[in-house]
């Protein structure tokens, strides 16, 4: 009996397999309105859990497919590209899909307790609806091969993340969401202006098709202006210093689960879009050599790495401290992708994956502490090293990884970044990278000092360790932070292959 | 010479509207005005897309054997999507302003900043 069911299920799966690319986006997108109809908070949670796990399974299947049989191109509705919308999965997008869907799936078991604690009960099903929409948007940005479709998904993910942020308990969550809405919409509109200019000059919206047409037009002022609009738009979205002002408050006052998800995925997907713009869309042109885009990005990346880390030292709110640390870490990625060599691009791709893991783990640890002991400021962590040993141990691993200590993933990507700096022949860049790590040690130490070397305030009730449903996802991600450093080859070969494919595509003037 | 200006009249208007909206977003402290400035900014981009679609001597894109040259219908379709996105964003922005007014008692940016500085 069971064997029959199994066979039918397998037959279904093989039938569905060629359609995994659109299903990757369609499943969470369709699940979101269903979640509104469910209303009951526990069922909504379980439904979202199942949907995110299925989405993650599809992402892994896509990665396996790409590894075994090359890039996937899917024509939506049977309209051949470049006329119709094309979904395109190559190694880089498959990797980003896995990390986005993986974080979304890992956060869900954690979410039940944390969301019930932080979001007003009648609104919980709406929280999960927005969570699914945001996930669908981020996956859509990653998978689509159409420049305008990318904008639509960008807005889906952004609008839903404004709502996620505004659901925080603190009233400042509202103003943070509003400021993010203003700047985010400006950024997205800048992106559309850029796409419009490119469409005007080429008559196509398909990224691969654009890439083959742009080299012939690269001397036109319109195309240069388009690049500027696109870069500023995406720069706003990825919180490139000094366009980062929306980020710290948004991360600090959003519900913890929203912070974990947005911090680990949204900015990373924007970095992915920037890589796509520079290496695929404009890959065939010689903008890198002629317009000074690379120098500007290297400069902003380095300033961000130092300045944001310095600001982080003076924060009192734990989540704000980690938020500024995110701005600083985004500087690493932008620096890596702007250096223009394989090692730098590999470092950027690796850091997308690794930073997603460690920031998710760190915000989860803060979430555990907030749930158990109402931690908001750094002083509130006092004495928790002894009372919540499991949570705080993972916090220590996360911070060591932010600093880039050997045996953590932060070290691996930083090592590549240093190599890239040496290949580029610039010692100053290497110095800045090391300095930024040292500053990270200073703000990281403030957290560790409060947790381990300060006595618990008198009169606080005994704090218990967080429930298992929160600790398991926390240690899953923390464990990956160490495991992927010990077995670095796996992610390294993937990232390096993806970087080489991008570089070769760019050098040949056509998309791989 | 003045003819050249008028031939791209739409684009001049796009630039004027775009800068007007952008200026309102940056310079205004009132949150409702900010949202509307953002809307003007977006509408200018819609106009930009629509302006690029007509072709000299082209007819509306209706299939008929009497016509051979059609204007491009795709920008209209794109902008229909963008309008929907813009409306959603504006609605969300205004909804947030309502909640902010309830929580802070004001929608002036500088007053809210002063109130927030006093929070821990």
């Amino acid at each position: 009996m069971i064997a029959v069911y199994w066979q039918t299920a397998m037959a279904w799966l093989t039938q569905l397999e060629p359609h995994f690319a659109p299903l990757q986006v369609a499943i969470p997108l369709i699940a979101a309105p269903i979640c509104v109809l469910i209303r009951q908070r526990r069922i909504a949670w379980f439904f979202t859990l199942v949907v995110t796990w299925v989405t993650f399974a599809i992402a892994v299947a896509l990665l396996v497919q790409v590894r075994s049989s090359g890039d996937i191109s899917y024509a939506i509705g049977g309209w051949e590209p470049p006329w119709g919308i094309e979904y395109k999965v190559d190694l880089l997008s498959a990797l980003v899909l896995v990390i986005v869907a993986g974080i979304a799936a890992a956060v869900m078991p954690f979410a039940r307790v944390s969301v019930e604690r932080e979001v007003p009960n009648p609104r919980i099903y709406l929280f999960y609806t927005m969570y699914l929409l945001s996930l669908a948007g981020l996956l859509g940005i990653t998978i689509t091969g159409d420049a305008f479709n990318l904008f639509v998904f960008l807005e889906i993910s952004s609008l839903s993340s404004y709502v996620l942020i505004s659901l925080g308990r603190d009233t400042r969550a509202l103003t943070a969401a509003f400021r993010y809405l203003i700047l985010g919409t400006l950024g997205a509109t800048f992106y559309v202006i850029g796409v419009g200019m490119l469409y005007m000059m080429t008559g196509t919206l398909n990224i691969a098709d654009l890439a083959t047409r742009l080299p012939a037009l690269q001397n036109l002022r319109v195309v240069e202006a388009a690049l500027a609009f696109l870069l500023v738009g995406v720069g706003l979205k990825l919180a490139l210093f000094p366009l980062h002002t929306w980020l710290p408050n948004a991360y600090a006052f959003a519900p913890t689960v929203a912070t974990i998800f947005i911090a680990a995925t949204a900015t990373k997907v924007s970095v992915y879009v920037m890589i796509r713009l520079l290496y695929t869309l404009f890959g065939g042109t010689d903008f890198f050599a002629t317009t000074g885009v690379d120098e500007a990005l290297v400069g902003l990346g380095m300033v961000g790495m130092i300045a944001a880390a310095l600001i982080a030292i003076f924060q009192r709110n734990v989540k704000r401290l980690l938020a500024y640390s995110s701005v600083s870490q985004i500087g690493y990625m932008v620096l890596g992708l702007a250096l223009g060599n394989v090692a730098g691009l590999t470092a950027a791709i690796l850091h997308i994956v690794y930073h997603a893991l460690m920031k998710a783990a760190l915000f989860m640890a803060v979430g555990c502490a907030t749930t158990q002991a109402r931690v908001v400021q750094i002083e509130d962590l006092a004495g928790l090293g002894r009372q919540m040993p499991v949570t705080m141990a993972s916090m220590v691993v996360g911070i060591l990884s932010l600093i880039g200590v050997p045996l953590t993933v932060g070290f691996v990507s930083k090592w590549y970044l240093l190599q890239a700096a040496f290949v580029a022949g610039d010692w100053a860049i290497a110095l800045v990278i090391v300095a930024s790590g040292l500053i990270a040690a200073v703000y990281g130490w403030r957290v560790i000092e409060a947790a381990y070397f300060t006595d618990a305030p008198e009169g606080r009730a005994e704090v218990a360790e967080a429930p298992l449903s929160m600790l398991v996802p926390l240690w899953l991600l923390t464990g990956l932070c160490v495991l992927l450093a010990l077995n670095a080859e796996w992610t390294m070969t993937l990232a390096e292959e993806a970087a080489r494919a991008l570089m070769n595509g760019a050098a040949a003037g056509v998309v791989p | 010479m003045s003819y050249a200006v008028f031939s791209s009249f739409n684009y001049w208007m796009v630039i004027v509207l775009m800068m007007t909206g952008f200026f309102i977003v940056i310079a205004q402290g009132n949150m409702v005005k900010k949202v509307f400035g953002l809307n003007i900014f977006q509408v200018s981009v819609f106009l930009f897309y629509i302006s690029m679609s007509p072709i000299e001597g082209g007819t509306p894109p209706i299939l008929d054997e009497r016509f051979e040259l059609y204007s491009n219908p795709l920008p209209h379709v794109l902008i229909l999507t963008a309008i929907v996105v813009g409306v959603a964003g504006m609605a969300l922005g205004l909804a947030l302003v309502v909640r902010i007014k309830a929580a802070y008692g004001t929608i002036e940016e500088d007053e809210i900043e002063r109130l927030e500085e006093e929070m821990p």
Side-chain angles (χ1 to χ4, degrees), chain A residues 148 152 155 159 162-163 166 171-172 174-175 178-179 182 185-186 189-190 192-193 195-196 199-200 205, chain B residues 18 25 31 35 38 41-42 45 48-49 52 72 74 78 85 89 92 96-97 99-100 104 112 116 119-120:
Chain A
F148 197 85
V152 176
E155 280 294 37
L159 284 170
Y162 308 147
V163 180
S166 73
T171 52
R172 276 169 289 184
L174 294 171
T175 48
F178 184 80
R179 281 175 197 140
I182 296 288
T185 311
L186 277 183
T189 312
F190 267 65
V192 189
I193 298 171
V195 170
Y199 180 66
M200 221 163 124
L205 287 167
Chain B
M18 192 181 280
V25 173
M31 289 179 157
V35 174
L38 198 62
F41 182 65
Q42 284 181 313
V45 182
F48 169 61
Y49 269 76
M52 69 171 94
N72 186 357
L74 186 66
L78 299 177
V85 170
L92 181 58
L96 279 172
V97 175
R99 292 277 309 277
I100 288 170
Y104 290 83
I112 288 173
E116 283 188 346
M119 295 182 182

Side-chain angles (χ1 to χ4, degrees), chain A residues 124-201:
Chain A
I124 285 181
Y125 72 101
L126 290 175
F127 181 90
Y128 289 125
T129 308
M130 290 301 150
Y131 185 84
L132 285 171
L133 270 183
S134 186
L135 174 65
L138 292 172
L139 294 171
I141 295 172
T142 315
I143 208 169
T144 188
D146 185 279
F148 197 85
N149 195 228
L150 197 152
F151 157 74
V152 176
F153 280 123
L154 191 71
E155 280 294 37
I156 290 178
S157 75
S158 306
L159 284 170
S160 46
S161 54
Y162 308 147
V163 180
L164 281 178
I165 290 164
S166 73
L167 284 169
R169 266 184 312 186
D170 199 300
T171 52
R172 276 169 289 184
L174 294 171
T175 48
F178 184 80
R179 281 175 197 140
Y180 184 16
L181 181 135
I182 296 288
L183 289 176
T185 311
L186 277 183
T189 312
F190 267 65
Y191 177 84
V192 189
I193 298 171
V195 170
M197 287 174 168
L198 291 183
Y199 180 66
M200 221 163 124
M201 298 321 292

Side-chain angles (χ1 to χ4, degrees), chain A residues 48-79:
Chain A
T48 314
L49 179 85
V50 172
V51 170
T52 51
W53 284 6
V54 170
T55 314
F56 178 53
I58 293 177
V60 173
L62 280 175
L63 180 63
V64 172
Q65 239 174 309
V66 168
R67 285 290 273 173
S68 62
S69 50
D71 298 356
I72 302 165
S73 164
Y74 188 93
I76 298 286
W79 294 85

Side-chain angles (χ1 to χ4, degrees), chain A residues 438-502:
Chain A
L438 290 177
I439 305 173
V442 177
Y443 65 69
W445 174 252
R446 286 192 59 210
V447 175
I448 294 177
E449 188 192 20
Y452 284 92
F453 300 99
T454 319
D455 288 326
E458 278 176 41
R460 184 170 71 186
E462 192 66 24
V463 178
E465 188 54 83
L468 219 55
S469 69
M470 299 174 99
L471 287 180
V472 171
L474 170 64
W475 270 94
L476 190 77
L477 295 178
T478 317
L480 275 177
C481 282
V482 179
L483 203 68
L484 287 183
L486 296 177
N487 304 301
E489 271 105 66
W490 193 74
T491 35
M492 258 160 54
T493 38
L494 277 182
E496 217 174 306
E497 265 180 53
R500 271 183 212 292
L502 283 171

Side-chain angles (χ1 to χ4, degrees), chain A residues 230-466:
Chain A
L230 290 172
L231 281 182
V232 173
V234 178
L236 262 166
K237 279 286 170 194
L238 64 79
L240 174 65
F241 193 89
L243 303 173
H244 69 283
T245 46
W246 57 268
L247 185 142
N249 272 358
Y251 283 14
F253 301 119
T256 310
V257 173
T259 310
I260 300 169
F261 181 64
I262 294 169
T265 58
T267 45
K268 310 301 167 301
V269 169
S270 304
V271 175
Y272 162 83
V273 174
M274 190 168 260
I275 295 179
R276 267 274 172 270
L277 284 180
L278 290 176
Y279 287 92
T280 306
L281 192 61
F282 284 94
T285 62
D286 50 11
F287 274 119
F288 247 111
T290 55
T291 53
V293 164
D294 54 341
E295 280 143 25
L297 286 178
V298 165
L300 287 178
M302 290 202 296
V303 174
M305 279 159 66
I306 298 290
L310 283 175
I311 302 172
I313 296 178
F314 299 102
Q315 296 306 312
R316 288 181 63 215
N317 183 311
V318 190
K319 278 163 89 182
R320 255 179 94 96
L321 182 147
L322 290 177
Y324 273 109
S325 139
S326 271
V327 178
S328 150
Q329 302 276 326
I330 286 161
Y332 287 78
M333 295 171 217
V334 173
L335 174 64
L337 73 89
L339 279 174
N341 53 44
V342 174
L345 198 52
T346 311
I349 296 169
L350 278 178
H351 212 59
I352 289 178
V353 176
Y354 293 164
H355 185 247
L357 289 174
M358 55 197 178
K359 256 307 145 46
L362 275 168
F363 275 119
M364 268 190 191
V366 174
C368 288
T370 310
T371 314
Q372 298 304 106
R374 300 189 178 284
V375 170
V376 179
Q377 314 284 21
I378 291 181
E379 304 93 84
D380 299 339
L381 285 167
L384 288 186
R386 228 156 294 132
Q387 290 172 317
M388 301 178 71
V390 187
T391 305
M392 287 302 138
S394 117
M395 186 98 110
V396 172
V397 175
I399 286 170
L400 290 179
S401 188
L402 275 184
I403 299 167
V405 175
L407 295 186
T408 60
V409 284
F411 175 74
V412 181
S413 45
K414 206 168 268 187
W415 182 251
Y416 262 90
L417 201 56
L418 280 173
Q419 273 184 343
F422 290 135
V423 172
D426 202 332
W427 287 85
I429 298 177
L431 269 178
V432 169
I433 296 169
V434 174
S436 170
L438 290 177
I439 305 173
V442 177
Y443 65 69
W445 174 252
R446 286 192 59 210
V447 175
I448 294 177
E449 188 192 20
Y452 284 92
F453 300 99
T454 319
D455 288 326
E458 278 176 41
R460 184 170 71 186
E462 192 66 24
V463 178
E465 188 54 83

